[in-house]
Amino acid sequence: CHHCKSRSASAPADTSKIHYEKFWLYRHCSSVQQRDRHAQKAGQLFSGLLAMNVVFLGSAFISSMIFNHVAITLADVWILLSILKVLCLFWIIYYLLGTSRQPHAVLYRDSHAGAIWIRGSVLLFGSCSILLNVFQIGYSTILIHCKSRVEIVFPSIGILFICTQAYFLWHHSKDCIQVQHNTTRCGLMLTIATNLLLWLLAVTNDTLHMEIESQLREVERRFAGKAPSSIPAGNETALCTCPNTTICSVFQKGYILLYPFNTEYCLVCCSVLYVMWKNVGRRISHHHVPHTKPKFKLQGVVFGPLLGTAAVIIGACVFMMYQIQATSLAPSHQVFVIYYSYYIVLLPLMSVGAVIGTIIHALEKKELDTLKNPTRSLDVVLLMGAALGQIGMSYFSIVALVATDPRDLLNSLILSYSVLLIFQNLTQNVFIIDGLHRRRATPPGKEEDTKEEQNREAYSQRRVSVLELGQEIRKASLSYIHTYSHLSWKRRVLREISFFLVLCNIILWVMPTFGAHPVFENGMERSFYGYSTWFVIVNFGLPLGVFYRMHSVGGLLEVYVTA
């Protein structure tokens, strides 16, 4: 089938190989194309309804576990999710061994889908999620006397599910499948729903975190010389304490460190699977296939890499300083001040750069790209949706700070950080979305070559002398060079800004991803909203914020290449 895939990249496929969709509701349509179009919409509707019902069922289970943990326990939710994982595994294996190997199954491949950075993030977050499940298995095995066996079986199935899904997305994320349309749509939507439920459970399930918190409180009471607190009725997790061994402490700390990666993995997989779902039955014309794929080249940029590298180095130093204190003892007041001060300096620079880039986009006379592109449409939706995580957390922080004591130094820094973060997210979104909808700039060298060839052909028809031809080519070249130099300052500034924002988003992605969570550890919002409520808010907003930074890097690289 590799011959078919390579052929589809350059020319449209033979119509005799196209499997038009059929649906029993539209079997009386006179036109084959009309029946195909209606069948495609019906297939998307029914697969969407399937996913909606699965998500509502799982959400009802998870909500019941939160509000009535006696009737519906965490083990019941794990059993439901394990069943869904097994169903998804069966479908993925069927797709790999059956559907994708049928004749003319993959006649087209979406060149915009499954970018290397997003497939690489699937592998990175998937590997971290596998380690997370390994730590969970080890932790439950040590406490097997008070843990159910489901807590060992569930992560074991999770490891198999993650490995299979990562392999599937790495090799088939670009597929525009042309056979078994409805089966493929339903399978993809079932997998999306399962990942969404896993994300929802990860956001709301704070069982292990509460166990660790209760152990820390018990240690504090012992150091203070107080009597052990009585165990509330029905709180079985308080009885399940980790023994004073190094291996148990490693499993605990590893679980806490890798916890955000699991939610991140679910979000990334949902985005890739959604693009695959939109591409089922899609037939790409040769106008949609780029003739020359632009490559990333570090040319014509100086200040962007310098400023971005300085931001990365300073951010890495602040991050290591914070992590050293956070892992050895409670972070001091001074470390929090340094951490938030770094953000307060960096975020306005990023906002100003995004605003300048947006103004330059408005000044340019480059046409908008209006071709239908599911990947780009999803990029826009994901940027706007993922930004809601950080924006929502910022507003919660602003309310808590204003209601308590905004005049305190640390509180005023957190308040400024929250306001600046909202503004930076909005300005960067406008810059990226506007850049994604601009047509690719024609390389000046190729533009001159094309015009020179046209001049040669014109003059050869007129049978002019070689000397006259050379003089005219030289005049045309000088004219185009002058025009390009007049416009190039805009492109250079866009590339400088894009590269600077890429490096800034990378460091802002690294810092919360690998353990720095002052928004939870400073204790201010946690004491205002309560542990469980703030835990849900942070676990909802933090992975979305990490996903936003990672997705912004991909969008900014696209803007850099097209500038």
Side-chain angles (χ1 to χ4, degrees), residues 31-55:
S31 171
V32 176
Q33 285 79 10
Q34 186 180 9
R35 185 174 62 198
D36 174 78
R37 187 165 56 254
H38 286 310
Q40 185 177 7
K41 291 180 180 179
Q44 291 178 345
L45 173 63
F46 275 84
S47 59
L49 288 172
L50 170 66
M52 184 185 70
N53 280 277
V54 173
V55 169

Side-chain angles (χ1 to χ4, degrees), residues 363-498:
L363 293 175
E364 275 194 318
K365 296 181 179 179
K366 198 186 294 185
E367 293 182 7
L368 294 176
D369 189 358
T370 57
L371 290 175
K372 185 180 178 182
N373 189 337
T375 307
R376 185 178 58 201
S377 302
L378 180 64
D379 284 340
V380 173
V381 172
L382 289 178
L383 277 173
M384 299 299 293
L388 295 178
Q390 289 184 323
I391 292 174
M393 286 175 59
S394 298
Y395 277 117
F396 276 106
S397 296
I398 289 170
V399 171
L401 288 161
V402 173
T404 51
D405 185 15
R407 290 170 293 183
D408 180 68
L409 174 62
L410 181 58
N411 288 358
S412 61
L413 287 174
I414 299 174
L415 183 62
S416 304
Y417 157 79
S418 301
V419 174
L420 289 171
L421 188 62
I422 293 170
F423 186 69
Q424 192 275 324
N425 275 261
L426 296 176
T427 53
Q428 183 171 273
N429 276 355
V430 173
F431 173 63
I432 295 175
I433 292 170
D434 197 18
L436 290 176
H437 284 84
R438 299 283 171 174
R439 289 191 183 274
R440 299 185 186 276
T442 306
K446 290 187 179 180
E447 188 177 326
E448 291 167 16
D449 292 342
T450 305
K451 295 296 182 181
E452 286 177 7
E453 287 177 5
Q454 292 175 357
N455 288 336
R456 288 194 187 99
E457 291 175 2
Y459 277 107
S460 64
Q461 291 173 0
R462 297 176 192 175
R463 297 178 180 177
V464 295
S465 65
V466 177
L467 179 61
E468 191 177 349
L469 176 63
Q471 289 175 349
E472 290 297 325
I473 290 174
R474 184 170 177 273
K475 288 179 182 179
S477 300
L478 289 173
S479 174
Y480 285 113
I481 290 170
H482 174 73
T483 304
Y484 175 72
S485 63
H486 179 68
L487 297 175
S488 63
W489 70 269
K490 298 176 185 176
R491 297 182 186 177
R492 281 201 299 268
V493 173
L494 282 176
R495 289 166 75 89
E496 298 277 9
I497 292 172
S498 301

Side-chain angles (χ1 to χ4, degrees), residues 7-13 107-113 174 176 278-279 282-294 369-377 439-440 558:
R7 180 181 176 182
S8 65
S10 57
L107 293 173
Y108 311 92
R109 289 175 68 83
D110 187 357
S111 60
H112 299 283
K174 295 178 180 290
C176 298
K278 291 289 287 184
N279 280 333
R282 185 185 175 201
R283 291 180 282 277
I284 303 175
S285 65
H286 65 281
H287 299 291
H288 287 71
V289 181
H291 298 288
T292 57
K293 194 173 181 180
D369 189 358
T370 57
L371 290 175
K372 185 180 178 182
N373 189 337
T375 307
R376 185 178 58 201
S377 302
R439 289 191 183 274
R440 299 185 186 276
E558 180 74 14

Side-chain angles (χ1 to χ4, degrees), residues 54-273:
V54 173
V55 169
F56 279 143
L57 175 63
S59 301
F61 262 77
I62 294 171
S63 302
S64 302
M65 177 199 70
I66 295 171
F67 298 113
N68 190 355
H69 54 81
V70 177
I72 301 294
T73 63
L74 181 60
D76 298 327
V77 177
W78 279 343
I79 291 171
L80 173 66
L81 290 176
S82 297
I83 294 171
L84 292 176
K85 285 181 181 179
V86 170
L87 291 175
C88 292
L89 281 172
F90 281 137
W91 173 77
I92 291 173
I93 293 171
Y94 174 74
Y95 181 91
L96 295 174
L97 301 180
T99 305
S100 62
R101 297 190 178 186
Q102 288 193 16
H104 317 305
V106 188
L107 293 173
Y108 311 92
R109 289 175 68 83
D110 187 357
S111 60
H112 299 283
I116 187 64
W117 66 269
I118 198 165
R119 286 187 292 152
S121 62
V122 168
L123 292 184
L124 172 63
F125 295 138
S127 303
C128 295
S129 299
I130 291 171
L131 282 176
L132 174 72
N133 284 298
V134 169
F135 285 138
Q136 188 176 356
I137 292 170
Y139 180 76
S140 301
T141 304
I142 292 175
L143 302 173
I144 192 66
H145 61 280
C146 60
K147 296 278 187 181
S148 66
R149 303 200 180 269
V150 179
E151 298 189 40
I152 299 176
V153 175
F154 179 73
S156 303
I157 297 174
I159 292 173
L160 184 61
F161 175 72
I162 291 167
C163 293
T164 309
Q165 183 174 245
Y167 176 85
F168 167 66
L169 294 179
W170 180 265
H171 289 282
H172 296 275
S173 58
K174 295 178 180 290
D175 289 2
C176 298
I177 200 73
Q178 300 297 318
V179 296
Q180 298 182 356
H181 304 91
N182 292 328
T183 304
T184 305
R185 285 197 186 98
C186 291
L188 287 168
M189 270 297 168
L190 179 64
T191 313
I192 290 173
T194 304
N195 280 283
L196 283 175
L197 291 175
L198 290 171
W199 170 75
L200 182 61
L201 178 64
V203 167
T204 55
N205 180 28
D206 60 348
T207 305
L208 185 59
H209 295 79
M210 290 297 290
E211 289 179 10
I212 296 171
E213 279 288 313
S214 63
Q215 291 172 33
L216 291 174
R217 285 195 297 268
E218 196 67 31
V219 170
E220 289 174 359
R221 291 192 190 95
R222 288 176 183 173
F223 274 110
K226 297 179 181 179
S229 59
S230 58
I231 300 168
N235 190 3
E236 298 176 0
T237 59
L239 295 170
C240 206
T241 57
C242 189
N244 294 325
T245 56
T246 306
I247 187 67
C248 191
S249 177
V250 168
F251 285 146
Q252 275 189 346
K253 289 184 178 179
Y255 185 90
I256 296 296
L257 180 66
L258 296 172
Y259 196 79
F261 287 98
N262 187 35
T263 53
E264 198 67 29
Y265 174 75
C266 296
L267 291 174
V268 175
C269 288
C270 285
S271 65
V272 180
L273 289 165

Side-chain angles (χ1 to χ4, degrees), residues 477-549:
S477 300
L478 289 173
S479 174
Y480 285 113
I481 290 170
H482 174 73
T483 304
Y484 175 72
S485 63
H486 179 68
L487 297 175
S488 63
W489 70 269
K490 298 176 185 176
R491 297 182 186 177
R492 281 201 299 268
V493 173
L494 282 176
R495 289 166 75 89
E496 298 277 9
I497 292 172
S498 301
F499 203 92
F500 170 69
L501 291 177
V502 164
L503 293 177
C504 290
N505 278 277
I506 286 174
I507 189 62
L508 296 185
W509 170 73
V510 169
M511 292 175 75
T513 301
F514 294 95
H517 303 144
V519 70
F520 192 78
E521 293 161 355
N522 64 50
M524 196 281 303
E525 296 98 335
R526 186 173 57 184
S527 61
F528 183 84
Y529 291 106
Y531 183 91
S532 297
T533 304
W534 188 240
F535 177 86
V536 173
I537 294 171
V538 170
N539 271 342
F540 176 80
L542 186 64
L544 283 176
V546 172
F547 182 76
Y548 172 76
R549 294 299 173 190

